Amino acid sequence: MMVATVAQGCLPGKHLGGDFCLGLVVLIMCRVLQGLSAGGEIGAVVAYLMEASPVGSVGMAVSMIGVGGQISGVLASAMVALLHQGLGSELMLVWGWRVPFLISALPSALAIWGRMRIPETDVFLSEVREKMEKQNQQDAHEGLRELLTHYPVVLLIGIGGVCATATMWYAPPFWTLTAVLWQLDPSDTLWVGTSCQLVAIAVTPVAGWFTDRYGAAMTAFVGAIYATLVAFPGYLWLVLDPSLGTAYLAVGFFFGIAQGFTGANINLFCANLFPPRLWCQGMALSYNIGE
């Protein structure tokens, strides 16, 4: 993921005399690599937290995945907003857009350093002792075959859950800002998107607490009901009054709550659809297709 992200900041562009077609092809390749990297890691992260977390706190632990993603989104949006204010639209179009991609190498290196020092769980180590590496590779193929043959309906539910949640994660704080609030200053819309994710960060632990008491399915259901109730009125309000104040309330506050509650534990909901031995593969496959 680090390679794909940093590489986007090095793409040839027409403003610097580069080959635009080549840049577009490499951009698509980098985005695909980013998606595969995230999809490959999310299943392992969810399975790890489900194995390592104490009973009664799994929901809160898994919700921290969402908090981490939202914090990174806040930092990215704030950085782009500050760059846009400091450089202006013209310089941002020429070279300023490259800066966030390039400096992502620093937090990425820190993440790799920490990732390599996470201890394996006792459950995983006990299975490693019992099976040889060759057998584990065979089991991986058998697990995928089992998912497709014995759990196709369950897999579709997981894919649908991830797809619906991804829509709530990306549509309000990103698509809305350019498609509905296009008349606002770009830096203002970026701060609106940042406020949406800040509200989501505050709501996500509440959803994690709710999950530990009422279950991931009930949390997903409540979040879906809330998102359904606020979506149409929220967008209608934005269309009728596309002002900055309305944007902060509709997108930043109301959609921020929806983003935090719906996305807090969709990963746990999807993983719980499968038996423990298929947690990682089931979640990863649901995420890769649904996202």
Side-chain angles (χ1 to χ4, degrees):
M1 182 176 287
M2 180 180 72
V3 171
T5 304
V6 175
Q8 290 179 67
C10 304
L11 294 175
K14 64 178 182 179
H15 290 282
L16 296 181
D19 188 332
F20 177 75
C21 293
L22 175 62
L24 181 61
V25 171
V26 178
L27 172 62
I28 294 173
M29 294 174 61
C30 289
R31 294 295 293 167
V32 170
L33 181 57
Q34 276 185 311
L36 291 174
S37 300
E41 184 73 352
I42 189 66
V45 171
V46 173
Y48 181 89
L49 290 174
M50 292 174 71
E51 292 175 3
S53 302
V55 177
S57 63
V58 176
M60 182 64 74
V62 175
S63 72
M64 291 300 105
I65 299 174
V67 171
Q70 290 152 355
I71 290 175
S72 65
V74 167
L75 294 176
S77 296
M79 176 176 294
V80 174
L82 291 173
L83 283 171
H84 199 282
Q85 288 179 338
L87 298 177
S89 300
E90 184 175 350
L91 288 180
M92 278 295 293
L93 190 62
V94 176
W95 61 268
W97 63 270
R98 298 178 183 272
V99 175
F101 291 102
L102 295 175
I103 65 174
S104 68
L106 298 177
S108 297
L110 180 62
I112 293 174
W113 176 82
R115 179 68 175 83
M116 294 175 66
R117 283 159 177 76
I118 296 178
E120 298 290 358
T121 63
D122 294 336
V123 176
F124 177 80
L125 292 176
S126 64
E127 290 195 9
V128 170
R129 296 189 193 101
E130 295 174 0
K131 299 179 181 179
M132 298 174 61
E133 181 179 355
K134 184 177 179 179
Q135 292 174 323
N136 282 336
Q137 294 174 352
Q138 293 174 346
D139 289 344
H141 295 132
E142 291 174 0
L144 180 59
R145 191 181 304 112
E146 185 178 359
L147 279 173
L148 297 176
T149 56
H150 293 87
Y151 299 95
V153 176
V154 173
L155 192 59
L156 286 175
I157 295 174
I159 293 170
V162 172
C163 184
T165 304
T167 301
M168 179 51 62
W169 266 60
Y170 298 118
F174 300 108
W175 174 83
T176 303
L177 305 182
T178 55
V180 181
L181 302 173
W182 54 269
Q183 69 274 36
L184 296 179
D185 184 83
S187 60
D188 287 335
T189 59
L190 286 168
W191 286 119
V192 170
T194 301
S195 68
C196 177
Q197 299 194 63
L198 285 171
V199 172
I201 290 173
V203 172
T204 297
V206 177
W209 172 88
F210 191 90
T211 299
D212 286 326
R213 279 146 185 81
Y214 302 104
M218 180 58 70
T219 305
F221 179 74
V222 171
I225 292 297
Y226 174 81
T228 302
L229 293 176
V230 302
F232 181 75
Y235 280 113
L236 181 61
W237 189 17
L238 286 171
V239 171
L240 296 176
D241 180 22
S243 64
L244 186 59
T246 301
Y248 273 114
L249 282 174
V251 178
F253 184 71
F254 291 112
F255 282 130
I257 294 175
Q259 188 186 70
F261 214 90
T262 56
N265 274 310
I266 189 63
N267 298 321
L268 182 59
F269 170 78
C270 290
N272 277 330
L273 294 172
F274 307 96
R277 67 180 182 280
L278 298 176
W279 278 346
C280 181
Q281 289 172 302
M283 179 61 232
L285 194 59
S286 299
Y287 181 90
N288 271 297
I289 298 176
E291 186 84 358

